[in-house]
Amino acid sequence: MQLYTFIDWFFTIGSIIIAILLGIYVNGAACLLGLFFYLIYPFIIEFCYNLLSVKQEISITNMPEIPIIYHDNYNITACGIEKQHPFDSCKYRNVYRQIRQKIKAQHFTPQMLSRGTFLYLGMSKWYLLKICYSAYISTLIELHVFFLPGVFLRSFLLDSMLLATSGSVYGAKLALEKGWAINLSGGYQHASLNRGGGFCIYPDITLVVNYLKKYCNLKKITIIDLDAHQGNGYERDFLNDSSVYIIDFYNSYIYPRDRQAEKAIKCFKHIDKRTTDEQYIEILQRDLEVNLKDDMQFIIYNAGTDIMAGDPLGNCSISASGIKKRDELVFKCARHKKIPILMLLSGGYQKENTFAIGESILQLIT
């Protein structure tokens, strides 16, 4: 990945310099040759990268004391551009520091998985090519950054998400070993194998499911999605897959309102500002008891905190205390059924969410 990034920057800068020199020393029309090269080189390096990269074995040589997955590069700092989006792109560091104040045990630091591994797990080559261009990336992250070089956005934004996606896959392996794991990022629920949206680029939930199927030979996997938004990305990936059982509680009045993806949901509950903590926990407990079967082999828990009161995008009213009770309930059900569980942080768009996440995780692991 470091070599790929270097080549990416090299050809971007090189093509721009060529365009400028041709414009100055030949004529204005000649500079189009450099601009053409600027547009065409991603096809070349993507083809070579896909061709040369191989699938890797996903192994953990040094098992951590606690299955918490975190890397400093999860946090997105793109020269302040990230602040134009309501998402708190550095909440992962703050949650980690909050946990470390009370838990000193060693956590797991993930490495970037190879391109060959992502392709083996189902990523679309065409989609990976499209996100080389900032005009397309802009539509996915909902920021007007189409004027920036694609390599800039990939280096300072997409690579952080790709690393977090790798962390989710490693988290699945840790959960199988330890019984549970928590990735302090991930949960990109609006991304599918061939498209993104809603500030979600890489479909880590789908990739985790495919990892469990292809590497671990699991047959029955459950996704419990309690983010305020519908998980339409992975739902589209598993529309016709009966081996994936989807439980999704969300506010159906807000983004994305994907009616086609809804067909993949086995258990749906609508929540909004009128839903109290007591109602939410009561409904959740009842539905988990009914829908979590003994033969289920793995749980992916998408633990978005945008259901908290005051969140600008979730439009719900669950308290921080309600978040703690929710997470505790999901983990208790998983442990009672002896089903390995992987928790992903997913959405949450206010500073108060960070403290609630940290407190909830601390209650789960202490």
Side-chain angles (χ1 to χ4, degrees), residues 55-313:
K55 182 189 76 169
Q56 70 186 83
E57 288 300 318
I58 299 174
S59 59
I60 298 174
T61 53
N62 297 317
M63 194 62 65
E65 296 175 75
I66 55 170
I68 298 288
I69 304 101
Y70 172 76
H71 196 295
D72 277 337
N73 290 340
Y74 280 1
N75 302 281
I76 299 170
T77 52
C79 301
I81 295 172
E82 74 284 352
K83 295 179 181 178
Q84 304 305 311
H85 194 279
F87 187 75
D88 181 6
S89 62
C90 290
K91 74 175 182 180
Y92 317 115
R93 178 186 297 121
N94 296 329
V95 171
Y96 174 71
R97 287 174 176 172
Q98 186 177 342
I99 294 171
R100 291 294 289 177
Q101 287 176 358
K102 295 185 179 180
I103 304 294
K104 305 301 182 183
Q106 177 192 13
H107 72 285
F108 178 76
T109 304
Q111 296 179 334
M112 192 82 80
L113 293 174
S114 70
R115 171 62 66 85
T117 303
F118 286 116
L119 293 176
Y120 176 69
L121 293 177
M123 282 296 298
S124 162
K125 293 179 182 178
W126 173 240
Y127 174 60
L128 289 171
L129 174 63
K130 288 196 293 183
I131 58 176
C132 287
Y133 296 94
S134 54
Y136 182 65
I137 296 172
S138 296
T139 66
L140 306 182
I141 63 175
E142 302 167 352
L143 291 175
H144 301 299
V145 290
F146 54 87
F147 56 90
L148 293 172
V151 62
F152 176 87
L153 295 178
R154 290 192 295 280
S155 296
F156 292 99
L157 176 65
L158 269 60
D159 280 356
S160 295
M161 295 182 177
L162 191 59
L163 181 60
T165 297
S166 300
S168 293
V169 177
Y170 276 111
K173 184 171 183 61
L174 276 173
L176 288 171
E177 294 282 344
K178 297 277 194 176
W180 64 276
I182 301 173
N183 185 20
L184 299 186
S185 186
Y188 303 130
Q189 69 201 93
H190 303 307
S192 68
L193 292 172
N194 53 23
R195 71 177 189 179
F199 209 71
C200 298
I201 306 295
Y202 301 102
D204 65 323
I205 294 176
T206 295
L207 295 176
V208 167
V209 172
N210 289 347
Y211 162 75
L212 293 169
K213 289 182 174 182
K214 294 186 175 184
Y215 280 82
C216 310
N217 199 32
L218 299 192
K219 305 297 184 184
K220 292 192 176 183
I221 300 160
T222 302
I223 300 172
I224 301 175
D225 191 342
L226 302 184
D227 187 274
H229 298 85
Q230 178 193 0
N232 64 314
Y234 64 81
E235 287 167 4
R236 283 184 168 268
D237 286 331
F238 301 120
L239 268 172
N240 301 307
D241 191 338
S242 59
S243 68
V244 180
Y245 195 93
I246 298 172
I247 301 170
D248 198 353
F249 286 25
Y250 59 89
N251 187 342
S252 57
Y253 299 150
I254 62 175
Y255 177 89
R257 289 180 283 190
D258 191 331
R259 304 307 180 201
Q260 178 68 18
E262 282 178 1
K263 297 175 182 179
I265 302 172
K266 303 299 190 296
C267 174
F268 158 71
K269 287 294 183 295
H270 168 80
I271 59 168
D272 57 29
K273 278 191 173 181
R274 296 168 296 180
T275 309
T276 66
D277 284 10
E278 293 75 17
Q279 291 171 331
Y280 185 80
I281 297 301
E282 181 183 351
I283 295 169
L284 179 60
Q285 183 170 11
R286 183 180 66 241
D287 283 355
L288 290 180
E289 289 174 355
V290 171
N291 290 281
L292 279 186
K293 308 299 183 182
D294 291 334
D295 61 348
M296 291 176 173
Q297 298 171 294
F298 198 94
I299 294 172
I300 301 169
Y301 173 35
N302 200 42
T305 53
D306 46 6
I307 63 171
M308 276 185 61
D311 194 282
L313 299 183

Side-chain angles (χ1 to χ4, degrees), residues 22-38:
L22 287 174
I24 293 174
Y25 293 104
V26 182
N27 56 55
C31 77
L32 294 176
L33 181 62
L35 295 177
F36 173 77
F37 185 65
Y38 174 77

Side-chain angles (χ1 to χ4, degrees), residues 50 185 206 315 337:
N50 291 338
S185 186
T206 295
N315 202 25
K337 298 282 186 179

